Amino acid sequence: MHTIRVAASIAVFMSANVAAQAPRASDWPAYGHDAGGSRFSPLTQVTPQNVGKLAVAWTYHTGESGVRVTDGAQPALETTPLVVDGTMYVTTPLGRVIALDPATGAQRWRFDPHIDPQAGYGDFANRGAATWADPAARRGAPCARAIYIATIDARLIALDAATGNPCLAFGDRGTVDLRVGLRVAPQWYSAYEETSPPAVINGLVVVGSGIADNGSVAPASGEIRAFDARTGALRWSWDPIPQDARDPAARTWHDSSATRTGAANAWSVIVVDSARDLVFVPTGSPAPDYYGALRLGDNRYANSITALRASTGTVVWSFQTVHHDLWDYDNASPPALSTVMRDGKPVPVVLQATKTGMLFVLNRETGAPVFPVEERPVPASDIPGEVASPTQPFTALTPPLVANTFSPDSAWGATPAARAACRAMVAGLRNEGPFTPPSEQGTLQVPSNIGGAAWGGVAADTVRGLAVVPVNTIAAEVQLIPADTYDPREAQQQADRMGYQYTRMRGTPYIMRRRLVLGADRLPCTPPPFGKLVAVDLRTGVIRWQVPLGDLPTPAGGTMPHPSGAPGLGGPLMTASGLIFVSATLDRAIRAFDSETGRELWRGALPAGGRATPMTYEAGGRQYVVIAAGGGSEFGTGDAIIAFALPTGSR
């Protein structure tokens, strides 16, 4: 009897301790709001009727707007903050973690991992942190709640959420070096990065990696790894390039290429389903992106959404969205977990939007398509030794969210001269429809390597049966140039004058050259809208509505529709009150749309582009909507975390 009473007392204490640390419905405890990445908030204080009253409530500056680098990408503020236990946690490109008062924006603490900004990073960003409350920890103990950040220089760091001090029991005094233990080590320091937040599931911290594109046939390997949330000890590792010859996927890497190839990494956001013990991993292309003659076959597990058993790291199922990728069609968008009704029954699903403009809806437990997918013939390669996949997967019920064909006759320009130049540019390229392989002639790629859907991804409202996706509609030009004809001086001139990017794919006979298909006025040659917000009905699979997202100015002497739409990077947020918040575009604004109709209801001005995903929470009885403004490069430089709210007393 005494033992039972003691056990009961312990159970009550533990449940009270966990409940005290559990996130509230009004919090934002994970990058995508919940661990499944739905980006859906139950808050309803801001509604379609009053959203027009939103105004800036507070602004916090991270202090990094003056950082300039001499090599590699410039820093981009892409963070989506967390709010949990009454504190907001913000991350920066330089790996700093900052704790703020969510009601005022006042700083509580700041951690600096002292990252060298001049290391030449290819994608200089940090999209957010993750958090975990230790159910066995005493309330108030150091690291009873931890904040985890994966930094651009490939460190996994655990911090005490209350103080910002490193969790000394984790790894080496709070840090795990993610470059250690890889199958293939990075060839240079900045060739292996971390830009997306970790995922936390059942006491494990799961991380992917960002690997430099196109540099060689054998860059760093792209293992997905799980570490003990308390100690930082490695619990399992999974390589998206199968190393076990008994794995059926290994047969899709011909001539033992799996043992030589790198990448296929997951640089986007990983999501989890704790109840099902599943980790959902969006993988990218194997190396190099545009030349596959040294890795013939479908290259299974690359370019896939793969479900791993969280407790072991073993594959439960895998669905490939692009076979034998030759177009840099990484699964850049985070998966989103949702539920759809089929034949009157709820079906747990994972939504995966792709750069090709597809929205795949897969059974969360089996990977089988819930909305039908069919293999369709696509063009063959004319590169010696290359064997493109003869078919690719297309969603058969939901049409592509963007056009995947583009002819010279449909070329657009704001002036007759611009249109004529665009037509001439497109007419000279190989263009046989979707998935036309790269060529020595030069190939038109539709959609481009930035999408379709980019890393902004999907938001899902299960109650309304709706998923929304921001997409780009612009095309790209890709060319493989024989290395023995390459003139670096001419290449530099064309890069400066025409916007080409050149990459020497070491180990191959080619230089890769690419650019977005833009006219002399820097506007896309594809017809507007240049960016869209698309809503898909999760009950029927049809597109419910689509509207231009963003607006670009009309060049002198030209004409164009308004809103024109604008190319963008960043994701959406949906709320239970029927609102969609999204920034993402070049025109330095955050917008609210009506979930039912797609009508724009409100626009808030930003000091720089919001190349991030907004979030929302409640503090002190007031709902806030927050966006990071400072997307870098053409989005403009900035370091602002901006919180919008209704005026006090106004509802």
Side-chain angles (χ1 to χ4, degrees):
M1 187 69 175
H2 176 73
T3 303
I4 293 175
R5 284 199 301 268
V6 170
S9 298
I10 292 173
V12 169
F13 171 78
M14 288 296 292
S15 63
N17 193 38
V18 173
Q21 300 186 62
R24 302 173 301 164
S26 56
D27 285 348
W28 190 276
Y31 175 81
H33 179 265
D34 49 83
S38 72
R39 297 176 177 172
F40 176 83
S41 169
L43 297 183
T44 58
Q45 186 181 104
V46 181
T47 68
Q49 291 71 40
N50 63 24
V51 67
K53 299 178 182 179
L54 282 180
V56 174
W58 56 259
T59 300
Y60 176 85
H61 293 280
T62 68
E64 292 186 11
S65 63
V67 175
R68 294 290 183 273
V69 301
T70 56
D71 183 35
Q74 297 297 315
L77 184 63
E78 296 179 355
T79 186
T80 297
L82 306 180
V83 170
V84 67
D85 292 348
T87 300
M88 173 179 284
Y89 300 95
V90 172
T91 64
T92 75
L94 284 173
R96 294 174 175 130
V97 183
I98 305 162
L100 304 177
D101 183 319
T104 66
Q107 181 177 305
R108 290 176 173 168
W109 57 254
R110 184 181 183 99
F111 169 81
D112 188 349
H114 301 292
I115 287 171
D116 177 9
Q118 304 301 328
Y121 303 109
D123 187 6
F124 201 163
N126 185 282
R127 299 188 182 98
T131 184
W132 179 67
D134 187 342
R138 174 179 50 84
R139 188 183 305 173
C143 297
R145 177 176 291 280
I147 302 295
Y148 301 93
I149 182 173
T151 60
I152 190 68
D153 60 356
R155 287 180 281 165
L156 177 61
I157 300 174
L159 304 174
D160 178 18
T163 65
N165 296 325
C167 297
L168 300 181
F170 184 85
D172 181 7
R173 299 182 64 80
T175 299
V176 171
D177 186 345
L178 296 173
R179 288 190 172 86
V180 174
L182 296 171
R183 173 174 60 87
V184 180
Q187 297 173 353
W188 64 92
Y189 185 77
S190 60
Y192 188 89
E193 307 172 346
E194 297 284 344
T195 56
S196 292
V200 179
I201 179 171
N202 300 335
L204 298 173
V205 184
V206 184
V207 292
S209 60
I211 294 173
D213 288 343
N214 301 311
S216 76
V217 298
S221 49
E223 289 98 315
I224 314 304
R225 288 175 287 177
F227 298 90
D228 187 286
R230 292 190 188 93
T231 68
L234 179 66
R235 294 303 182 206
W236 53 256
S237 177
W238 175 70
D239 196 329
I241 300 180
Q243 300 301 299
D244 186 345
R246 296 168 296 180
D247 189 328
R251 296 195 293 269
T252 69
W253 297 76
H254 298 175
D255 301 321
S256 302
S257 59
T259 62
R260 305 186 299 269
T261 308
N265 50 299
W267 59 265
S268 187
V269 179
I270 295 168
V271 304
V272 301
D273 182 337
S274 296
R276 291 177 172 84
D277 193 34
L278 293 176
V279 176
F280 298 91
V281 181
T283 61
S285 59
D289 287 349
Y290 294 96
Y291 180 76
L294 302 178
R295 51 170 173 85
L296 297 181
D298 276 357
N299 306 141
R300 296 282 172 167
Y301 297 151
N303 299 93
S304 299
I305 173 68
T306 298
L308 304 178
R309 184 68 62 201
S311 51
T312 64
T314 56
V315 174
V316 177
W317 59 259
S318 185
F319 179 90
Q320 191 170 51
T321 57
V322 176
H323 311 316
H324 190 66
D325 185 13
L326 301 173
W327 304 270
D328 190 17
Y329 279 155
D330 294 346
N331 280 313
S333 297
L337 304 187
S338 188
T339 301
V340 302
M341 298 299 296
R342 301 299 284 171
D343 300 323
K345 298 179 181 179
V347 178
V349 297
V350 54
L351 310 176
Q352 183 66 55
T354 68
K355 290 184 180 182
T356 63
M358 311 292 177
L359 178 64
F360 294 99
V361 181
L362 310 174
N363 186 297
R364 201 185 309 176
E365 297 173 333
T366 67
V370 175
F371 294 164
V373 174
E374 58 189 32
E375 293 285 331
R376 297 177 185 170
V378 293
S381 175
D382 60 6
I383 292 294
E386 181 64 88
V387 182
S389 174
T391 65
Q392 292 290 349
F394 288 75
T395 51
L397 181 60
T398 305
L401 309 182
V402 297
N404 53 23
T405 59
F406 177 44
S407 69
D409 288 342
S410 62
W412 179 88
T415 65
R419 182 169 184 263
C422 282
R423 289 184 66 178
M425 185 189 312
V426 174
L429 300 176
R430 185 181 176 194
N431 177 15
E432 299 172 26
F435 296 100
T436 302
S439 61
E440 293 186 15
Q441 170 188 349
T443 290
L444 184 71
Q445 180 183 349
V446 186
S448 74
N449 54 293
I450 64 168
W455 58 258
V458 182
D461 182 337
T462 300
V463 174
R464 289 181 173 83
L466 196 68
V468 296
V469 191
V471 293
N472 297 314
T473 66
I474 54 181
E477 172 190 343
V478 180
Q479 186 176 11
L480 299 183
I481 302 173
D484 57 8
T485 67
Y486 172 66
D487 183 343
R489 293 169 298 180
E490 180 183 351
Q492 186 59 55
Q493 292 173 357
Q494 290 189 331
D496 294 340
R497 188 176 74 255
M498 303 174 67
Y500 280 111
Q501 174 191 358
Y502 288 81
T503 303
R504 176 69 178 101
M505 299 184 292
R506 293 188 300 275
T508 81
Y510 288 103
I511 306 290
M512 186 279 294
R513 181 171 85 166
R514 70 180 179 186
R515 64 174 175 176
L516 296 177
V517 178
L518 306 176
D521 53 10
R522 304 300 296 166
L523 290 173
C525 292
T526 44
F530 309 129
K532 300 189 295 183
L533 188 65
V534 183
V536 176
D537 191 314
L538 293 178
R539 299 184 181 97
T540 65
V542 303
I543 292 176
R544 190 181 295 181
W545 52 257
Q546 50 187 315
V547 296
L549 179 58
D551 199 20
L552 297 177
T554 301
T559 60
M560 60 191 295
H562 292 285
S564 64
L569 294 170
L573 150 71
M574 301 182 77
T575 71
S577 63
L579 290 171
I580 301 163
F581 291 96
V582 62
S583 183
T585 58
L586 291 169
D587 60 353
R588 305 189 183 189
I590 180 172
R591 293 171 166 86
F593 294 86
D594 187 297
S595 295
E596 296 294 340
T597 65
R599 184 166 65 93
E600 183 179 319
L601 302 175
W602 169 80
R603 185 183 308 180
L606 301 176
R611 195 169 100 173
T613 300
M615 51 82 73
T616 188
Y617 61 93
E618 187 177 283
R622 198 177 183 196
Q623 183 181 350
Y624 296 82
V625 177
V626 171
I627 184 68
S633 63
E634 65 271 21
F635 286 80
T637 301
D639 68 345
I641 308 297
I642 303 175
F644 295 87
L646 298 174
T648 303
S650 173
R651 295 291 184 267

